[in-house]
Amino acid sequence: MKVGDLVVRKIPEKNDFTLLVRLDEAKRQRAELGHGIVTDTKISGKPEHLCLMVWYPKVNRQWWIAASLMEEMTCE
């Protein structure tokens, strides 16, 4: 993912390894925040991973989030 991409919180697949709390939080964030636009990227954390600064127009706020927790929105 890169600056300018339209993204939304990914809902993890429900399986034996998915915590229900994680699944519920992902659903809540997706509904509350809606889609977002990537405004910056950086490598951060331990272990290091790609993080995205995402601006959410619905709430007019932005946060850093791991890229692995987001998915690109497609125009279909």
Side-chain angles (χ1 to χ4, degrees), residues 3-43:
V3 172
D5 284 349
L6 192 60
V7 295
V8 68
R9 182 68 159 82
K10 185 187 302 184
I11 304 297
E13 290 184 29
K14 189 172 181 179
N15 58 40
D16 292 340
F17 302 106
T18 303
L19 298 173
L20 289 178
V21 172
R22 182 175 166 215
L23 185 62
D24 288 346
E25 180 64 11
K27 288 179 180 178
R28 183 195 64 77
Q29 285 181 2
R30 187 172 179 138
E32 186 176 307
L33 302 174
H35 68 277
I37 300 168
V38 178
T39 60
D40 197 6
T41 64
K42 70 177 178 180
I43 302 294

